Amino acid sequence: MANDNLKHTDWQLIINEIANEVRPLLNEGKVADYIPELANVDSNAFGISICMLDGRAFSCGDAHTKFSVQSISKVFSLTKAFSILKDDLWKRVGKEPSGNPFNSLIQLENENGKPRNPFINAGAIVVADCVVSNTEDSLNTIIDFIRELACNKSIKMNQAMFRSEKAFGHRNAALAHFMKSYGNIEADVDEVLDFYFGHCSLSMSCEDVARAFLFLANHGVHPVNKRRYLTASQSKRINSLLLTCGTYDAAGDFAFRVGMPGKSGVGGGIAAIIPGLLSICVWSPGLDKYGNSLAGVKALELFTTKTGISIF
Ligand code: DON
């Protein structure tokens, strides 16, 4: 649908309808519990927010409840690392879908410690190292950066989540040490992991997340504060990676059903964008077998079906 035809779209009505239609699915997914603190959530929750480039925002359901952003935060650390290292970043991390679960160790040895892409855990840990090795007070730097993107100074880490991730993060520690043995982690492994667990442990609402993604819908410039965070080319590249790798080994199915670049997290959130128009975030904690929100993917599929907009 051309943007001109969208002037009269009743966005609020559309998201209200979506919330009603996905309700029967809320109990079908399984809440993540491999980080024990993640299980401490209402499995019936559902929220959805849209932020438009023209400043309007529409929300429904539990859109103002804070949830654990988890892997969605990898997009913010990637943005930071990409703006610091530019294309040198791709010497350290690849750009191909992995076709494997997000926390898999299998490919790393065959590929000499260079992760397939920045969104699987191994890739995000390399990205974390790039930020830690190139910024002072890196965790506070990334939290302030995310607050600025979301236009919300009150965003903070959930300390219980952080402790839980750290206590049960053996696979991530294994990935980090393994990559260190190949020389692909520069900083101290514990410092890199603290940074990674720290940004994954942030609590944000659907509206916070949607607003924080707006710059990716606007060629790298945040439409609210007018700041440029990435060049138009870098913004395009991150969106391309979101489409091909943002939902892990389900990225093909997500692109097929939804048709938007998007990023999921095991807290049940999914953020997605339509360049030139809007950003959207859905949250529902029950996950499918790939670690993506089951009702969340359906909600985004309904969104592009009902509105007729997608990137294609
Ligand atoms: O490292 C982990 O396993 C979590 N902190 C993040 C994983 C995640 O969100 C994967 N997303 N679907």
Short mmCIF file of all heavy atoms in Angstrom, two decimals, residues 211-248:
data_model
loop_
_atom_site.label_atom_id
_atom_site.label_comp_id
_atom_site.label_asym_id
_atom_site.label_seq_id
_atom_site.Cartn_x
_atom_site.Cartn_y
_atom_site.Cartn_z
N ARG A 211 9.91 2.94 20.10
CA ARG A 211 10.49 4.28 19.90
C ARG A 211 11.99 4.18 19.66
O ARG A 211 12.56 4.89 18.84
CB ARG A 211 10.18 5.17 21.11
CG ARG A 211 10.54 6.61 20.85
CD ARG A 211 9.86 7.59 21.79
NE ARG A 211 8.46 7.78 21.49
CZ ARG A 211 7.45 7.48 22.31
NH1 ARG A 211 7.70 7.00 23.52
NH2 ARG A 211 6.21 7.67 21.95
N ALA A 212 12.64 3.25 20.38
CA ALA A 212 14.10 3.10 20.24
C ALA A 212 14.50 2.55 18.87
O ALA A 212 15.65 2.67 18.46
CB ALA A 212 14.63 2.19 21.36
N PHE A 213 13.56 1.93 18.15
CA PHE A 213 13.86 1.40 16.81
C PHE A 213 13.57 2.40 15.69
O PHE A 213 13.83 2.12 14.53
CB PHE A 213 13.08 0.10 16.56
CG PHE A 213 13.84 -1.14 16.94
CD1 PHE A 213 14.11 -1.42 18.27
CD2 PHE A 213 14.30 -2.03 15.98
CE1 PHE A 213 14.82 -2.56 18.63
CE2 PHE A 213 15.02 -3.16 16.32
CZ PHE A 213 15.27 -3.43 17.65
N LEU A 214 13.01 3.56 16.05
CA LEU A 214 12.57 4.48 15.00
C LEU A 214 13.69 4.91 14.06
O LEU A 214 13.47 5.09 12.86
CB LEU A 214 11.94 5.73 15.63
CG LEU A 214 10.44 5.67 15.93
CD1 LEU A 214 10.01 6.94 16.67
CD2 LEU A 214 9.63 5.51 14.65
N PHE A 215 14.91 5.04 14.60
CA PHE A 215 16.01 5.52 13.72
C PHE A 215 16.29 4.54 12.58
O PHE A 215 16.74 4.93 11.51
CB PHE A 215 17.28 5.82 14.52
CG PHE A 215 18.02 4.59 14.99
CD1 PHE A 215 19.18 4.19 14.34
CD2 PHE A 215 17.57 3.84 16.05
CE1 PHE A 215 19.88 3.06 14.75
CE2 PHE A 215 18.26 2.70 16.47
CZ PHE A 215 19.40 2.31 15.82
N LEU A 216 15.98 3.24 12.82
CA LEU A 216 16.20 2.25 11.76
C LEU A 216 15.12 2.33 10.68
O LEU A 216 15.29 1.84 9.57
CB LEU A 216 16.26 0.84 12.35
CG LEU A 216 17.52 0.52 13.16
CD1 LEU A 216 17.39 -0.82 13.85
CD2 LEU A 216 18.76 0.54 12.26
N ALA A 217 13.98 2.93 11.05
CA ALA A 217 12.92 3.15 10.05
C ALA A 217 13.13 4.47 9.32
O ALA A 217 12.35 4.82 8.44
CB ALA A 217 11.55 3.14 10.74
N ASN A 218 14.18 5.21 9.73
CA ASN A 218 14.37 6.56 9.18
C ASN A 218 15.81 6.77 8.70
O ASN A 218 16.39 7.82 8.91
CB ASN A 218 13.99 7.59 10.25
CG ASN A 218 13.79 8.98 9.69
OD1 ASN A 218 13.26 9.13 8.60
ND2 ASN A 218 14.22 9.99 10.43
N HIS A 219 16.39 5.71 8.11
CA HIS A 219 17.72 5.79 7.49
C HIS A 219 18.79 6.27 8.47
O HIS A 219 19.71 6.99 8.09
CB HIS A 219 17.69 6.68 6.24
CG HIS A 219 16.57 6.32 5.31
ND1 HIS A 219 16.54 5.14 4.60
CD2 HIS A 219 15.41 6.96 5.02
CE1 HIS A 219 15.43 5.07 3.90
NE2 HIS A 219 14.70 6.16 4.14
N GLY A 220 18.65 5.90 9.75
CA GLY A 220 19.71 6.18 10.73
C GLY A 220 19.51 7.43 11.56
O GLY A 220 20.26 7.67 12.51
N VAL A 221 18.49 8.25 11.23
CA VAL A 221 18.24 9.49 11.99
C VAL A 221 17.01 9.29 12.88
O VAL A 221 15.95 8.88 12.40
CB VAL A 221 17.99 10.69 11.05
CG1 VAL A 221 17.64 11.95 11.86
CG2 VAL A 221 19.20 10.94 10.18
N HIS A 222 17.15 9.59 14.18
CA HIS A 222 15.99 9.46 15.07
C HIS A 222 15.03 10.62 14.79
O HIS A 222 15.42 11.79 14.89
CB HIS A 222 16.45 9.48 16.53
CG HIS A 222 15.43 8.89 17.45
ND1 HIS A 222 14.17 9.40 17.58
CD2 HIS A 222 15.49 7.81 18.26
CE1 HIS A 222 13.50 8.67 18.45
NE2 HIS A 222 14.27 7.68 18.86
N PRO A 223 13.78 10.32 14.45
CA PRO A 223 12.88 11.42 14.07
C PRO A 223 12.47 12.30 15.24
O PRO A 223 12.01 13.42 15.02
CB PRO A 223 11.66 10.68 13.50
CG PRO A 223 11.69 9.33 14.11
CD PRO A 223 13.14 9.01 14.35
N VAL A 224 12.66 11.83 16.48
CA VAL A 224 12.26 12.65 17.62
C VAL A 224 13.37 13.64 17.98
O VAL A 224 13.14 14.85 18.03
CB VAL A 224 11.87 11.78 18.84
CG1 VAL A 224 11.51 12.66 20.05
CG2 VAL A 224 10.72 10.84 18.48
N ASN A 225 14.59 13.13 18.20
CA ASN A 225 15.66 14.06 18.60
C ASN A 225 16.50 14.55 17.41
O ASN A 225 17.43 15.32 17.59
CB ASN A 225 16.56 13.45 19.69
CG ASN A 225 17.33 12.23 19.19
OD1 ASN A 225 17.49 12.04 17.99
ND2 ASN A 225 17.83 11.41 20.11
N LYS A 226 16.18 14.05 16.22
CA LYS A 226 16.84 14.47 14.97
C LYS A 226 18.32 14.08 14.90
O LYS A 226 19.05 14.55 14.03
CB LYS A 226 16.73 16.00 14.73
CG LYS A 226 15.34 16.56 14.93
CD LYS A 226 14.41 16.18 13.80
CE LYS A 226 13.04 16.84 13.95
NZ LYS A 226 11.93 15.96 13.61
N ARG A 227 18.79 13.27 15.81
CA ARG A 227 20.21 12.87 15.76
C ARG A 227 20.43 11.75 14.76
O ARG A 227 19.60 10.85 14.65
CB ARG A 227 20.67 12.38 17.14
CG ARG A 227 20.79 13.47 18.11
CD ARG A 227 21.74 13.11 19.23
NE ARG A 227 21.73 14.22 20.15
CZ ARG A 227 21.89 14.12 21.45
NH1 ARG A 227 22.12 12.96 22.00
NH2 ARG A 227 21.85 15.19 22.21
N ARG A 228 21.59 11.78 14.11
CA ARG A 228 21.96 10.69 13.21
C ARG A 228 22.82 9.68 14.00
O ARG A 228 23.86 10.04 14.54
CB ARG A 228 22.75 11.21 12.00
CG ARG A 228 23.24 10.08 11.10
CD ARG A 228 23.80 10.55 9.77
NE ARG A 228 22.83 11.07 8.83
CZ ARG A 228 21.94 10.32 8.16
NH1 ARG A 228 21.88 9.01 8.36
NH2 ARG A 228 21.09 10.88 7.33
N TYR A 229 22.36 8.44 14.08
CA TYR A 229 23.09 7.40 14.80
C TYR A 229 23.88 6.51 13.87
O TYR A 229 24.89 5.92 14.27
CB TYR A 229 22.12 6.56 15.65
CG TYR A 229 21.56 7.38 16.77
CD1 TYR A 229 20.29 7.95 16.68
CD2 TYR A 229 22.32 7.63 17.91
CE1 TYR A 229 19.78 8.74 17.70
CE2 TYR A 229 21.83 8.42 18.93
CZ TYR A 229 20.57 8.98 18.82
OH TYR A 229 20.09 9.77 19.82
N LEU A 230 23.42 6.37 12.63
CA LEU A 230 24.11 5.57 11.62
C LEU A 230 23.97 6.29 10.29
O LEU A 230 23.01 7.06 10.09
CB LEU A 230 23.45 4.19 11.47
CG LEU A 230 23.52 3.22 12.65
CD1 LEU A 230 22.67 1.99 12.34
CD2 LEU A 230 24.95 2.80 12.96
N THR A 231 24.89 6.01 9.37
CA THR A 231 24.67 6.51 8.00
C THR A 231 23.50 5.73 7.41
O THR A 231 23.12 4.66 7.91
CB THR A 231 25.91 6.27 7.12
OG1 THR A 231 26.09 4.86 6.96
CG2 THR A 231 27.18 6.87 7.73
N ALA A 232 22.96 6.28 6.32
CA ALA A 232 21.83 5.59 5.67
C ALA A 232 22.26 4.19 5.23
O ALA A 232 21.50 3.22 5.35
CB ALA A 232 21.34 6.41 4.48
N SER A 233 23.48 4.08 4.77
CA SER A 233 23.98 2.77 4.32
C SER A 233 24.11 1.79 5.49
O SER A 233 23.72 0.63 5.39
CB SER A 233 25.34 2.99 3.63
OG SER A 233 26.04 1.79 3.59
N GLN A 234 24.64 2.28 6.62
CA GLN A 234 24.76 1.40 7.79
C GLN A 234 23.38 0.96 8.29
O GLN A 234 23.19 -0.19 8.71
CB GLN A 234 25.51 2.13 8.92
CG GLN A 234 26.98 2.32 8.65
CD GLN A 234 27.63 3.23 9.69
OE1 GLN A 234 27.01 4.16 10.22
NE2 GLN A 234 28.88 2.95 10.00
N SER A 235 22.43 1.90 8.26
CA SER A 235 21.07 1.58 8.71
C SER A 235 20.48 0.50 7.80
O SER A 235 19.86 -0.47 8.27
CB SER A 235 20.24 2.87 8.69
OG SER A 235 18.92 2.61 9.02
N LYS A 236 20.69 0.64 6.50
CA LYS A 236 20.22 -0.38 5.55
C LYS A 236 20.85 -1.72 5.89
O LYS A 236 20.17 -2.76 5.89
CB LYS A 236 20.62 0.03 4.13
CG LYS A 236 20.23 -0.99 3.07
CD LYS A 236 20.94 -0.76 1.74
CE LYS A 236 22.40 -1.18 1.79
NZ LYS A 236 23.10 -1.04 0.52
N ARG A 237 22.13 -1.73 6.22
CA ARG A 237 22.82 -3.00 6.48
C ARG A 237 22.27 -3.67 7.74
O ARG A 237 22.09 -4.88 7.80
CB ARG A 237 24.32 -2.78 6.60
CG ARG A 237 24.96 -2.31 5.30
CD ARG A 237 26.47 -2.41 5.32
NE ARG A 237 27.07 -1.64 4.25
CZ ARG A 237 26.94 -1.89 2.95
NH1 ARG A 237 26.20 -2.89 2.56
NH2 ARG A 237 27.53 -1.13 2.05
N ILE A 238 22.00 -2.87 8.77
CA ILE A 238 21.44 -3.48 9.99
C ILE A 238 20.05 -4.04 9.70
O ILE A 238 19.71 -5.16 10.11
CB ILE A 238 21.43 -2.48 11.16
CG1 ILE A 238 22.88 -2.22 11.59
CG2 ILE A 238 20.60 -3.01 12.34
CD1 ILE A 238 23.08 -1.55 12.91
N ASN A 239 19.25 -3.31 8.94
CA ASN A 239 17.92 -3.83 8.60
C ASN A 239 18.02 -5.11 7.78
O ASN A 239 17.22 -6.05 7.97
CB ASN A 239 17.11 -2.77 7.85
CG ASN A 239 16.65 -1.66 8.77
OD1 ASN A 239 16.52 -1.87 9.97
ND2 ASN A 239 16.41 -0.49 8.22
N SER A 240 19.00 -5.17 6.88
CA SER A 240 19.18 -6.40 6.09
C SER A 240 19.52 -7.57 7.01
O SER A 240 18.98 -8.67 6.85
CB SER A 240 20.32 -6.22 5.08
OG SER A 240 20.09 -5.10 4.27
N LEU A 241 20.40 -7.32 7.97
CA LEU A 241 20.76 -8.39 8.91
C LEU A 241 19.57 -8.80 9.78
O LEU A 241 19.41 -9.97 10.13
CB LEU A 241 21.92 -7.94 9.81
CG LEU A 241 23.28 -7.86 9.11
CD1 LEU A 241 24.28 -7.10 9.97
CD2 LEU A 241 23.80 -9.26 8.82
N LEU A 242 18.73 -7.81 10.11
CA LEU A 242 17.52 -8.15 10.90
C LEU A 242 16.62 -9.08 10.11
O LEU A 242 16.05 -10.03 10.66
CB LEU A 242 16.76 -6.88 11.28
CG LEU A 242 17.40 -6.01 12.36
CD1 LEU A 242 16.63 -4.71 12.53
CD2 LEU A 242 17.47 -6.76 13.69
N LEU A 243 16.51 -8.82 8.81
CA LEU A 243 15.63 -9.66 8.00
C LEU A 243 16.20 -11.09 7.90
O LEU A 243 15.45 -12.06 8.01
CB LEU A 243 15.47 -9.06 6.60
CG LEU A 243 14.43 -9.81 5.75
CD1 LEU A 243 13.02 -9.51 6.24
CD2 LEU A 243 14.54 -9.45 4.28
N THR A 244 17.51 -11.18 7.68
CA THR A 244 18.09 -12.52 7.41
C THR A 244 18.47 -13.27 8.68
O THR A 244 18.55 -14.50 8.64
CB THR A 244 19.33 -12.41 6.50
OG1 THR A 244 20.25 -11.48 7.09
CG2 THR A 244 18.96 -11.92 5.11
N CYS A 245 18.72 -12.55 9.78
CA CYS A 245 19.26 -13.22 10.98
C CYS A 245 18.56 -12.83 12.28
O CYS A 245 18.89 -13.37 13.33
CB CYS A 245 20.75 -12.87 11.17
SG CYS A 245 21.76 -12.98 9.69
N GLY A 246 17.61 -11.89 12.24
CA GLY A 246 17.05 -11.33 13.48
C GLY A 246 16.19 -12.28 14.28
O GLY A 246 15.96 -12.06 15.48
N THR A 247 15.70 -13.32 13.62
CA THR A 247 14.88 -14.29 14.36
C THR A 247 15.50 -15.70 14.24
O THR A 247 14.80 -16.70 14.21
CB THR A 247 13.42 -14.27 13.86
OG1 THR A 247 13.40 -14.23 12.42
CG2 THR A 247 12.68 -13.05 14.37
N TYR A 248 16.84 -15.70 14.12
CA TYR A 248 17.64 -16.94 14.17
C TYR A 248 17.27 -17.93 13.08
O TYR A 248 17.02 -17.52 11.95
CB TYR A 248 17.54 -17.57 15.57
CG TYR A 248 17.78 -16.55 16.64
CD1 TYR A 248 16.75 -16.10 17.45
CD2 TYR A 248 19.03 -15.97 16.78
CE1 TYR A 248 16.97 -15.12 18.40
CE2 TYR A 248 19.26 -14.99 17.72
CZ TYR A 248 18.23 -14.58 18.53
OH TYR A 248 18.45 -13.61 19.46
#
